[in-house]
Amino acid sequence: MALLDVRHLTKRWPTGRLALDDVSFEVKEGEILGLLGHNGAGKSTIMGITLGMVRPDQGEVRIGGRSVQKERDRALRQIGAIYEAAVFYDYLSGWQNLRVFCSLSGWWDEAEVKRVVQIVNLNRAIHHKASTYSHGMRQRLALAQAMLPEPKILLLDEPTDGLDPEGIREFRELILHLRKHHGMTIMLNSHLLAEVEQMCDRCVIIKDGKKVFEGPVPSQEKTRRMFQLETGDIGLAREILDRAGATMDKHGIVEVPLSMEPHELVAALVRGNVQVGAWQPHRRTLEQLYMGLSSKS
Amino acid sequence: MTLFLQQWHGELLKLFGRKRTYIGFGAFVVLQILVFLLVKKFGLPTQRIIAGAGENVDYYLSALTVASFVMGVSVFLLGALFLSLVAGDIVAKEGEDGHMRLLLARPVSRFRLLLLKYLTCTGYAVFLIQFLAWTAFLLGIMLRGWGGGYFALVPEVSVVAFYDWGPGLLRYALSSVFLGISMTTISSIAFFLSCFRIKPAAATIGALSYILVDFIIRTGGFMDSHQHLLITKHMAVWGRVLAETIDWPLIWRGYAVILAVNLTLFTLGYAVFESRDLKS
């Protein structure tokens, strides 16, 4: 079931620049979806529209079946978000900051706040002033405020931006923990391929305001069976593979159709007198997918 | 209502959580003490008027008369500046710093968020004036002690009146409330400007400039036949509660104009803010 449904979003800035061009995708319950694209591709604009902070020229976003554009308050009750850089009131403590943000949701439950603070591992510093927090602690505080009060879906805009490698790892583990143990649905937005690859189940790639890909993150693909074929008889091999219903790209990556087993395909190649130098499983990386899409467009 | 109060509590927590708010109060107290010391050393400029009216100077040079003078000077010198600072920051600074994006990621409408902020900055204006009124009163008590009369003088609305202690105290308290309400207009102007995508300082300076130009035009006599178009003319109506016979219709008319101006400024500010895309 789609918890978040982005439908035909189009947005042109007053300067005339087209920020989004008919972008549609959905986030299913319990999944982590990565929104990937270069700087200025339109990822944050999608986030802004999803939170009702940016008005689309066309299209709408539905959260749990409710349109953000038509009933924003009700739709946003199901969401927790970090939108752009998380900035806190430095003169207040982490706890007071949470109180300010939660007050807008008309909610405050000390026990639940303490539980979330524990999850994000801020319990020792929560009563210190936010001005004393490191960047990593601020991100964790931002995550805590997004998790209160119990959203169904988390929207995270560049959540690891500016974090050191250790901070990125901690944050990644936290996100995966939230999905695994709290069943959280998450949409995160990033230009870091490795981050999306390691955290997300599916990804949407945006390029110059257009969606150029929506599907599983390659490393998470379980249904596609890809193999690297090394042979000197490329032409002959392609002929036999075509006949068998398999495809091979220019780098010798063969995708085996579901109707046959990989060893049957190798047998067919050998029977057809193709000298098979090597045949090994191949995992496509997100980087290869992303760069492939970039070079195509 | 509970939800609204809970949300307002968050807004007040921000206002009263920062040092600058208290530095402001501190600055006012320092200014009041300075004025108080000058009064102590040189006396009140109004003493001659009291004597000229044939009244007992010692009786009417009371804590209330001193407080009235100290409060008047401090509101004139710092009041507009400080209220513009607070109201000019209230939307623009949150937009500039990026807090607004986190606030509006919550299930709260822009109208409600602005209403909370507007009530905070106008409520703050009333609170600040009350603070000034009663700290000035405390200083007056320190100088002249409890009791005596009250000489009320508001040249802007041609009010000159003499009261005994009890009625004087009541009029002083009443005038401080009405002055606070008048000052909400300065907050409203700064709030309105703050709703635009501008620097907080620009909203503050814009509001201050408007009030100053309006005041100069009014006191300079440039628009004598069109005084009703000047907001400071209506703001000065607070002084009428000090007249011996209070002209309530005139006062309500003045506050009706102030209310209309404030509501218009809030509505326009909201319209501007609502039409904005909030993205860096």
Side-chain angles (χ1 to χ4, degrees):
Chain A
M1 182 196 152
L3 198 53
L4 192 143
D5 193 2
V6 173
R7 292 181 185 175
H8 306 292
L9 290 186
T10 299
K11 173 73 184 177
R12 191 181 285 279
W13 294 119
T15 53
R17 194 174 80 82
L18 188 64
L20 292 175
D21 186 4
D22 195 24
V23 174
S24 297
F25 62 87
E26 55 183 40
V27 186
K28 295 188 183 79
E29 200 164 350
E31 81 171 346
I32 303 183
L33 181 117
L35 207 51
L36 200 58
H38 57 89
N39 289 332
K43 307 181 301 284
S44 288
T45 305
I46 293 173
M47 287 276 186
I49 292 173
T50 304
L51 293 167
M53 283 188 234
V54 176
R55 269 160 236 285
D57 295 331
Q58 276 171 38
E60 68 170 353
V61 177
R62 299 182 81 85
I63 305 168
R66 293 191 185 278
S67 168
V68 173
Q69 281 63 43
K70 288 176 189 149
E71 34 183 353
R72 183 182 173 277
D73 294 4
R74 288 189 174 192
L76 289 200
R77 267 182 216 149
Q78 307 169 71
I79 220 165
I82 305 176
Y83 178 47
E84 298 189 336
V87 187
F88 291 100
Y89 300 99
D90 279 347
Y91 52 89
L92 298 178
S93 68
W95 184 265
Q96 287 172 316
N97 268 287
L98 291 179
R99 184 134 207 174
V100 166
F101 289 110
C102 288
S103 72
L104 289 175
S105 301
W107 177 93
W108 184 254
D109 176 345
E110 282 207 19
E112 177 62 11
V113 176
K114 277 182 188 163
R115 190 182 71 83
V116 168
V117 165
Q118 188 112 29
I119 291 174
V120 299
N121 196 22
L122 264 182
N123 34 330
R124 283 170 63 186
I126 197 65
H127 293 291
H128 298 174
K129 285 208 168 159
S131 58
T132 63
Y133 284 16
S134 67
H135 189 64
M137 288 162 83
R138 279 168 191 269
Q139 284 303 88
R140 281 184 276 145
L141 183 62
L143 188 60
Q145 73 78 29
M147 287 167 64
L148 294 168
E150 293 187 275
K152 287 185 188 161
I153 179 165
L154 278 180
L155 295 193
L156 309 175
D157 190 8
E158 311 272 3
T160 58
D161 217 22
L163 291 181
D164 58 23
E166 199 176 319
I168 291 176
R169 189 176 56 81
E170 266 179 31
F171 202 85
R172 188 174 62 232
E173 282 169 4
L174 196 52
I175 296 295
L176 293 172
H177 170 89
L178 288 178
R179 199 265 293 272
K180 192 174 175 188
H181 299 283
H182 301 270
M184 203 75 97
T185 303
I186 297 165
M187 177 166 100
L188 68 90
N189 169 351
S190 180
H191 58 267
L192 302 174
L193 296 166
E195 183 175 287
V196 172
E197 179 123 55
Q198 290 175 66
M199 279 198 260
C200 302
D201 307 305
R202 290 197 312 127
C203 68
V204 168
I205 300 178
I206 306 288
K207 188 169 181 351
D208 296 327
K210 286 188 177 158
K211 183 178 86 173
V212 290
F213 176 81
E214 180 181 1
V217 170
S219 61
Q220 308 280 339
E221 280 180 313
K222 295 188 174 64
T223 50
R224 296 180 79 185
R225 296 173 303 169
M226 321 271 274
F227 290 85
Q228 171 83 58
L229 170 66
E230 279 180 34
T231 177
D233 307 322
I234 289 285
L236 184 58
R238 194 179 296 280
E239 213 173 283
I240 294 166
L241 290 169
D242 280 351
R243 275 205 301 271
T247 55
M248 181 170 71
D249 69 10
K250 60 182 178 182
H251 304 294
I253 309 295
V254 178
E255 182 166 358
V256 181
L258 292 170
S259 57
M260 65 192 309
E261 290 303 315
H263 66 85
E264 291 172 344
L265 200 57
V266 181
L269 286 167
V270 172
R271 274 200 304 275
N273 292 325
V274 173
Q275 288 192 339
V276 177
W279 173 263
Q280 55 193 3
H282 173 78
R283 274 254 147 114
R284 194 167 52 146
T285 64
L286 184 58
E287 187 174 331
Q288 284 165 330
L289 171 69
Y290 186 80
M291 296 318 286
L293 288 167
S294 296
S295 60
K296 261 187 214 166
S297 44
Chain B
M1 194 62 189
T2 317
L3 172 67
F4 193 83
L5 291 176
Q6 206 169 353
Q7 292 171 332
W8 200 22
H9 172 252
E11 202 58 46
L12 293 174
L13 190 66
K14 283 189 284 182
L15 181 64
F16 289 101
R18 62 177 168 192
K19 237 182 244 169
R20 207 178 77 177
T21 304
Y22 299 99
I23 293 173
F25 283 116
F28 272 111
V29 171
V30 169
L31 176 68
Q32 286 191 328
I33 291 172
L34 271 175
V35 179
F36 166 79
L37 291 174
L38 288 173
V39 170
K40 198 173 172 186
K41 187 164 172 61
F42 301 108
L44 275 180
T46 48
Q47 277 173 238
R48 271 183 299 172
I49 304 172
I50 299 170
E55 299 288 346
N56 182 343
V57 174
D58 197 47
Y59 179 71
Y60 283 106
L61 194 63
S62 68
L64 281 171
T65 309
V66 171
S68 213
F69 179 78
V70 171
M71 182 176 77
V73 171
S74 51
V75 169
F76 181 77
L77 289 179
L78 278 184
L81 172 69
F82 200 59
L83 292 179
S84 303
L85 261 176
V86 170
D89 264 16
I90 207 154
V91 180
K93 181 123 177 77
E94 298 231 292
E96 187 184 59
D97 290 352
H99 297 130
M100 199 57 89
R101 292 191 292 272
L102 273 188
L103 295 175
L104 282 174
R106 296 266 154 190
V108 61
S109 66
R110 293 189 192 194
F111 177 81
R112 184 175 273 244
L113 189 69
L114 285 193
L115 186 62
L116 290 166
K117 289 184 176 296
Y118 183 70
L119 287 179
T120 303
C121 66
T122 49
Y124 180 75
V126 176
F127 178 77
L128 180 76
I129 299 300
Q130 284 303 301
F131 173 81
L132 294 181
W134 299 109
T135 45
F137 180 66
L138 213 66
L139 288 171
I141 294 281
M142 282 163 66
L143 186 69
R144 301 291 300 170
W146 188 265
Y150 175 31
F151 172 58
L153 174 71
V154 190
E156 288 180 300
V157 285
S158 313
V159 167
V160 182
F162 293 90
Y163 297 102
D164 289 329
W165 181 256
L169 189 56
L170 186 71
R171 291 301 179 98
Y172 178 79
L174 200 61
S175 69
S176 72
V177 172
F178 279 80
L179 175 61
I181 297 170
S182 288
M183 295 301 275
T184 60
T185 302
I186 297 174
S187 301
S188 299
I189 298 169
F191 173 87
F192 161 69
L193 294 172
S194 185
C195 291
F196 286 82
R197 190 188 276 270
I198 56 173
K199 295 268 179 203
T204 302
I205 293 166
L208 271 178
S209 307
Y210 184 85
I211 286 294
L212 194 66
V213 168
D214 189 287
F215 178 76
I216 291 169
I217 290 174
R218 184 166 64 87
T219 51
F222 299 116
M223 283 177 67
D224 269 349
S225 52
H226 295 88
Q227 290 249 327
H228 59 283
L229 297 176
L230 301 169
I231 193 63
T232 50
K233 158 87 177 164
H234 300 287
M235 285 169 68
V237 81
W238 69 273
R240 293 191 182 278
V241 297
L242 292 173
E244 275 172 25
T245 310
I246 300 178
D247 190 349
W248 286 112
L250 208 57
I251 290 172
W252 294 137
R253 192 182 73 179
Y255 281 106
V257 173
I258 284 175
L259 181 71
V261 168
N262 288 2
L263 276 177
T264 305
L265 288 168
F266 173 76
T267 309
L268 289 175
Y270 163 66
V272 168
F273 189 68
E274 182 67 34
S275 64
R276 277 173 58 186
D277 280 330
L278 294 170
K279 192 178 176 299
S280 59

